[in-house]
Amino acid sequence: MELERGHPLVILDGGDSLGKEVRGKTEAGLGQRRAKARLIAEEWVASGLDAAALGEMDWNLGTPFVLETTKRAGYPVVAANLVCEGGKRPFPAARVFEHGDRKVGVVGVTAGEVDGCAVTDPAEAAVAARALLPEDVDVTVLLWPDRFEKANFGAREGLDFDFLLDASGRAGKDLPQRAGSTWMLGGGMKTKSVSIVTVELGDGKGYFPDGYRESLEDDRKRLQRRIDDAREVLAKGKGKKEMLERQIAGQTVQVEEVEQQLQAFLQGGHNRMEVRSITLDEDIPNHAPTFERVEAVKATFSELDDATGAEVISRPMRIEHGPYVGTEGCISCHPTQYNQWRSTGHARAISVLVAVDRHRDEDCFSCHVTGAAPAGIAGYPVTIADSTSVGGGNNVQCEACHGPGRDHAADPTKHHPVKTPPETLCRACHTPEQDEGRFDFAQYLPKVAHPDPAE
């Protein structure tokens, strides 16, 4: 966040940066995630991070580990709603940062299960912590490490903050969204981008981004059209009267809220804000010392698989033991389906990891091979979480979607694979964190669908 253009004031993180969604549950996998978390904490601090929240995925690394790692790295956590044994609070509820005569007050809450500690209601704790901030702070920010929907609901409960930074990476990527009097902000998922908020303080209250007036006027017109359409249907005696009346009443309230915001904008004297998103792509060179430390951590992942990338790619596509048989065990009866599969990205999934030396990283590995998919999906009772057990199961093969096939291969009339994989199976790997919310089941399915063997 910047106060007045060109003057960086605070660097903030909304949470869930140390941990991530857990796919496998092996000790090797946990060790890898912890090694990465230590590196992230140290590099964030070295980069000048001023305040951060901890989310559910962070605490999944283990409470003792998180407390020790954040303390050792000097990771600047704020957590107003975390109370541990004996009433101790391991982290401050708020921090205040000054730059010249400008001040930013930051409050943070946490989310998830924390062993030996109580995680209290985040909204109540945020309100209490807000009261602790000095009256002369220029900008107030709440770090809420939850997904956008929960944070949005919390902001609408009347929290007195100028900005709310959540952990979803979705809010505020274009024109920020407003919840009550609070602006919802978010950076990119998996640190693929960062958001910079520039605030230019005026004489009045309230913050308005460029293009906000036009956005409000569009919202007012859209809502009014919906009200007019509903009234027309109601006048013709069509539709359900009670439902239409509730719709008209609710959207009338929304129009009034938009009108109030528009009038506040037109009064002038407000504070201007600009939100920019910078994609951390290949055009931005690596920071050499950080890159070396990342490579050093990746080199410790040999517990998972000590094969070279070339050896992994050249593995046979047949699995000699366990419930899986591998694609080469399916091809003799299903050549048409096999050829279609060969044309998809699923058939090259392991090469993607090898290219970036991530084939030993269990967080990545489990979704790029067959037999290591996350547990808990109906119809897929077997979970294998290490490459030794999987054997030649590299790439997203037939059985990754249709389930283990050894019994089917032995007696096709008695044992049948899953004919239509559920959407939940796809989303176990195509998570918002992995693809920043781009996955659309209806759009992606035709890219991998193949002819029905029974037809």
Side-chain angles (χ1 to χ4, degrees):
M1 175 172 286
E2 300 175 334
L3 271 185
E4 298 171 349
R5 191 178 302 277
H7 297 284
L9 183 61
V10 289
I11 302 175
L12 307 174
D13 180 75
D16 280 343
S17 288
L18 303 183
K20 64 177 299 179
E21 292 186 48
V22 179
R23 303 193 187 287
K25 295 185 179 181
T26 66
E27 286 300 318
L30 178 60
Q32 290 178 8
R33 286 189 289 277
R34 287 178 171 176
K36 287 185 282 188
R38 293 190 192 96
L39 176 64
I40 292 169
E42 292 167 358
E43 293 302 316
W44 248 133
V45 172
S47 299
L49 180 67
D50 291 298
L54 292 174
E56 181 178 5
M57 289 190 285
D58 298 321
W59 292 112
N60 283 341
L61 295 165
T63 300
F65 169 81
V66 173
L67 294 176
E68 177 187 1
T69 298
T70 53
K71 180 178 180 180
R72 178 173 298 181
Y75 199 66
V77 180
V78 278
N81 63 329
L82 184 63
V83 182
C84 298
E85 294 179 356
K88 296 182 179 179
R89 295 181 178 271
F91 306 110
R95 296 175 184 266
V96 177
F97 304 95
E98 298 185 31
H99 184 85
D101 61 346
R102 302 300 192 187
K103 295 181 181 180
V104 173
V106 179
V107 170
V109 294
T110 195
E113 296 183 4
V114 185
D115 294 339
C117 303
V119 178
T120 63
D121 181 84
E124 292 180 1
V127 170
R130 172 68 178 84
L132 299 176
L133 295 176
E135 293 184 1
D136 60 345
V137 292
D138 297 287
V139 182
T140 56
V141 183
L142 173 61
L143 307 182
W144 187 304
D146 239 321
R147 292 313 186 201
F148 175 68
E149 291 79 7
K150 291 184 178 180
N152 185 294
F153 177 79
R156 290 188 180 279
E157 290 296 291
L159 300 179
D160 185 21
F161 288 88
D162 298 317
F163 300 98
L164 185 152
L165 176 60
D166 75 356
S168 72
R170 290 176 293 170
K173 296 184 99 176
D174 298 313
L175 190 66
Q177 297 185 42
R178 194 173 185 179
S181 61
T182 302
W183 287 99
M184 307 290 295
L185 303 173
M189 297 293 287
K190 299 176 66 178
T191 61
K192 290 182 178 179
S193 65
V194 294
S195 293
I196 300 177
V197 182
T198 301
V199 175
E200 296 180 0
L201 300 177
D203 298 326
K205 298 187 66 176
Y207 296 82
F208 294 95
D210 291 341
Y212 189 60
R213 174 180 176 174
E214 292 80 1
S215 176
L216 287 176
E217 291 175 341
D218 289 343
D219 287 345
R220 179 176 60 181
K221 293 177 182 177
R222 174 177 51 81
L223 290 167
Q224 191 59 54
R225 282 197 302 270
R226 291 182 178 180
I227 292 172
D228 293 342
D229 290 344
R231 284 174 175 167
E232 183 177 349
V233 173
L234 188 62
K236 293 180 179 179
K238 299 181 179 180
K240 296 182 179 180
K241 181 179 178 181
E242 292 184 359
M243 183 181 69
L244 289 169
E245 289 177 341
R246 285 198 302 270
Q247 175 184 333
I248 293 171
Q251 291 176 344
T252 299
V253 171
Q254 293 180 49
V255 169
E256 292 173 353
E257 292 177 350
V258 169
E259 289 283 2
Q260 292 174 2
Q261 295 177 36
L262 187 57
Q263 288 303 314
F265 177 87
L266 295 175
Q267 288 174 6
H270 51 266
N271 306 311
R272 179 180 173 274
M273 59 178 283
E274 177 188 33
V275 181
R276 292 178 289 139
S277 181
I278 299 178
T279 301
L280 304 179
D281 53 22
E282 295 180 355
D283 292 336
I284 299 178
N286 288 321
H287 179 250
T290 300
F291 182 77
E292 291 178 3
R293 287 189 284 271
V294 170
E295 291 299 301
V297 169
K298 287 163 61 177
T300 67
F301 292 172
S302 60
E303 301 96 328
L304 182 65
D305 191 332
D306 59 4
T308 66
E311 290 171 340
V312 170
I313 293 176
S314 63
R315 284 174 174 168
M317 299 294 285
R318 178 180 292 276
I319 303 176
E320 300 297 339
H321 55 83
Y324 294 85
V325 296
T327 297
E328 288 184 1
C330 306
I331 186 175
S332 60
C333 295
H334 306 287
T336 302
Q337 290 72 31
Y338 170 79
N339 289 330
Q340 188 279 333
W341 170 80
R342 284 286 300 272
S343 69
T344 70
H346 282 169
R348 301 179 294 277
I350 196 67
S351 299
V352 175
L353 295 188
V354 170
V356 293
D357 193 25
R358 299 297 291 272
H359 57 284
R360 296 185 180 91
D361 187 334
E362 186 167 293
D363 283 332
C364 305
F365 173 85
S366 60
C367 279
H368 289 251
V369 300
T370 298
I377 305 298
Y380 300 82
V382 178
T383 297
I384 302 175
D386 67 277
S387 60
T388 302
S389 298
V390 173
N394 51 299
N395 296 321
V396 182
Q397 301 182 27
C398 312
E399 294 162 289
C401 297
H402 297 286
R406 188 168 297 279
D407 289 342
H408 171 68
D411 190 345
T413 61
K414 181 178 180 181
H415 300 283
H416 303 283
V418 176
K419 183 177 180 179
T420 305
E423 181 178 348
T424 51
L425 178 70
C426 304
R427 292 192 178 279
C429 285
H430 290 279
T431 65
E433 182 184 8
Q434 294 297 335
D435 62 13
E436 297 185 295
R438 292 189 299 270
F439 180 73
D440 183 313
F441 180 72
Q443 180 182 355
Y444 277 53
L445 183 61
K447 297 180 180 181
V448 297
H450 51 67
D452 189 334
E455 296 179 354

